[in-house]
Amino acid sequence: MKLHIFNPEHDLALAANLKQFTAPHAGRQLRSDLAFIPALWAEEGDLVLVDDIDFAKNRVRHFGAELNSKVEFITKPQLKHLLKTEFLDSVHPWGWNLSLKGELERLGMPEIMLPTDAVLNKVREVSSRQWAALHLQRGVEYVAETTRVKELILQYGKAVVKAPWSSSGRGVKYVSAEDFRTAGDYPTFERWVANMIYHQGGVTVEPLYNKVRDFAMEFEMKDGKALYRGLSLFDTIKNAYSGNVLCSEDDKVEMMKPLISEAQLAGIRQRIIEVMEPALKDIYSGPFGVDMMICTKGEKDEFCEAVLNQEGEDVNRTGLGVVPCIEINLRRTMGHVAIDLYEHLVANSSDEMKTNRTNIMRVEYDGNRYHLRIKPGRPSEEAPLH
């Protein structure tokens, strides 16, 4: 019997790195409203931690009545009581951090069921943008001095400056050389950089690319091996996640072919496995993802790879490039959710789901609650998925 926990405030908790961390209201609301979603990937008889069992059952039935009979929803008081007499096989959160460990300790979770602080420190290290800059990225520099940040921005013309740990666009600044217009200074931005360096040790600086498409590759560490799970084709609005395409892996590869070949995707996938597998094999078991980008490639864009044609030739007449690592998410992602939701729907729905490449999984806020919804894939100006 496994325990599944949806803790989407994970990235913010990594930044805080505290045993007792209170997420902003929006993060707590998202966790409560979508606490049921582990039912999509949980196994028969598993437990899913929720705030309100009746609310969770009502939400999950929209994705199939069978999910209510497959898993058992459990509240924190019930879990605390259960742990006095029962022993769980394992705990599977959205992401592991010091705050979640403290939360489970206070509920009576045995020490043997939890990662050590040393392991959590290593997970936090690999989760940082600093680690990604050193191991998977090109043209991204980790900087601990404000003067060097300014130098890089002036060198690139336009740049993206990121805190080592942040969530959904927070801790990310887009800045250009033109912004340093008052006596060569940009006080508001420089104060932000100094604050990030003081609290998190530094920032990463990278060129700003002209994005054509966001996408990601999703993986899972299991028994010391990094296993590929599939592509994630997603969109964002104002740098925050908005939705995922729901379709088969073959369909996703086909949708990407006008932008990048299957062979080049396979090469990127293999490089990620070669880097991540040895880094994670002794410290982490569970899902992770790597965000990527297709962009236009100019002569000065030396750090993004040219997109190859189907024969593997560098034909830059397309004017496209691929950035094979924007960042690492050492946790479950909405891309994993989309893969699991599609597999669940195919197994329990009509043949239409197997052939429909236009459905999109969206997370929406109605002013009161967050909702996970399946909608027709109608592109918008803000989020053009197709």
Side-chain angles (χ1 to χ4, degrees):
M1 181 170 55
K2 302 172 185 174
L3 173 67
H4 299 269
I5 304 169
F6 177 58
N7 57 317
E9 76 284 358
H10 166 71
D11 292 346
L12 295 175
L14 279 181
N17 200 32
L18 299 170
K19 267 285 179 77
Q20 289 188 291
F21 165 73
T22 301
H25 173 74
R28 300 195 307 273
Q29 183 82 57
L30 181 62
R31 177 172 178 171
S32 179
D33 291 345
L34 301 188
F36 68 90
I37 65 172
L40 295 170
W41 57 85
E43 297 177 354
E44 190 80 29
D46 284 353
L47 303 176
V48 176
L49 187 64
V50 299
D51 289 340
D52 185 316
I53 292 174
D54 290 337
F55 179 81
K57 286 183 174 181
N58 182 57
R59 282 295 186 91
V60 81
R61 69 180 176 82
H62 296 289
F63 300 96
E66 67 282 348
L67 292 174
N68 269 320
S69 59
K70 184 180 79 167
V71 302
E72 181 179 348
F73 294 113
I74 187 170
T75 63
K76 288 181 182 178
Q78 290 173 330
L79 177 61
K80 188 172 185 177
H81 180 73
L82 178 75
L83 289 172
K84 294 176 181 178
T85 57
E86 299 282 343
F87 194 79
L88 301 176
D89 294 328
S90 52
V91 181
H92 299 263
W94 186 259
W96 275 114
N97 56 69
L98 197 60
S99 173
L100 179 65
K101 179 182 177 180
E103 180 181 332
L104 293 174
E105 284 176 337
R106 290 188 292 274
L107 291 173
M109 187 69 68
E111 182 179 347
I112 195 172
M113 302 295 299
L114 300 171
T116 65
D117 287 358
V119 165
L120 288 179
N121 285 336
K122 188 64 178 177
V123 167
R124 184 173 185 265
E125 177 189 335
V126 179
S127 298
S128 76
R129 293 184 173 113
Q130 179 185 7
W131 194 93
L134 291 172
H135 295 89
L136 270 180
Q137 296 175 316
R138 296 175 59 214
V140 181
E141 186 171 328
Y142 180 75
V143 181
E145 297 179 353
T146 54
T147 53
R148 179 57 180 161
V149 174
K150 182 177 177 180
E151 287 175 5
L152 289 169
I153 294 168
L154 295 175
Q155 175 185 328
Y156 294 143
K158 293 182 178 180
V160 187
V161 182
K162 302 176 181 178
W165 297 277
S166 65
S167 174
S168 298
R170 299 179 181 89
V172 178
K173 297 289 184 182
Y174 296 84
V175 62
S176 71
E178 295 179 0
D179 292 322
F180 291 87
R181 53 187 174 272
T182 307
D185 293 325
Y186 183 2
T188 304
F189 170 73
E190 291 180 89
R191 283 196 297 270
W192 178 85
V193 170
N195 185 56
M196 287 298 105
I197 291 173
Y198 177 78
H199 287 286
Q200 296 195 27
V203 295
T204 59
V205 185
E206 60 196 85
L208 175 63
Y209 296 107
N210 185 18
K211 181 175 68 176
V212 174
R213 173 140 205 179
D214 288 312
F215 72 108
M217 290 185 184
E218 310 299 353
F219 301 84
E220 182 174 6
M221 280 298 295
K222 189 173 183 179
D223 299 325
K225 296 292 184 182
L227 308 176
Y228 176 67
R229 289 219 54 203
L231 286 172
S232 168
L233 306 187
F234 63 95
D235 67 337
T236 59
I237 297 177
K238 297 178 181 177
N239 303 314
Y241 171 83
S242 175
N244 262 86
V245 173
L246 289 175
C247 62
S248 69
E249 179 70 6
D250 288 343
D251 283 341
K252 284 181 281 189
V253 170
E254 194 66 29
M255 292 167 71
M256 291 295 290
K257 277 186 178 178
L259 302 175
I260 186 170
S261 72
E262 186 174 1
Q264 192 167 8
L265 287 173
I268 293 170
R269 179 171 71 235
Q270 185 57 36
R271 290 204 303 273
I272 290 170
I273 289 173
E274 289 172 357
V275 171
M276 298 304 294
E277 190 171 277
L280 298 178
K281 65 178 183 178
D282 294 326
I283 64 164
Y284 184 78
S285 179
F288 71 93
V290 179
D291 290 345
M292 306 175 185
M293 180 195 297
I294 300 292
C295 59
T296 58
K297 181 174 171 61
E299 292 181 1
K300 294 182 180 179
D301 295 329
E302 58 182 304
F303 299 124
C304 66
E305 299 179 11
V307 167
L308 309 181
N309 66 8
Q310 299 301 317
E311 286 71 43
E313 300 168 333
D314 181 356
V315 285
N316 214 19
R317 63 176 179 269
T318 62
L320 295 178
V322 58
V323 184
C325 178
I326 296 295
E327 64 184 33
I328 301 166
N329 295 304
L330 191 50
R331 54 169 170 77
R332 192 174 293 274
T333 70
M334 295 308 292
H336 287 94
V337 177
I339 291 170
D340 290 320
L341 176 57
Y342 176 77
E343 291 177 353
H344 167 73
L345 293 172
V346 166
N348 295 278
S349 302
S350 66
D351 289 339
E352 180 186 358
M353 175 56 67
K354 301 175 185 179
T355 57
N356 190 340
R357 291 168 44 173
T358 63
N359 284 327
I360 296 173
M361 179 191 80
R362 291 204 182 278
V363 176
E364 298 181 335
Y365 183 64
D366 64 7
N368 183 44
R369 297 276 195 180
Y370 286 94
H371 302 268
L372 183 70
R373 289 172 170 154
I374 301 171
K375 305 197 113 181
R378 297 172 183 166
S380 67
E381 290 184 4
E382 285 187 303
L385 262 169
H386 305 298

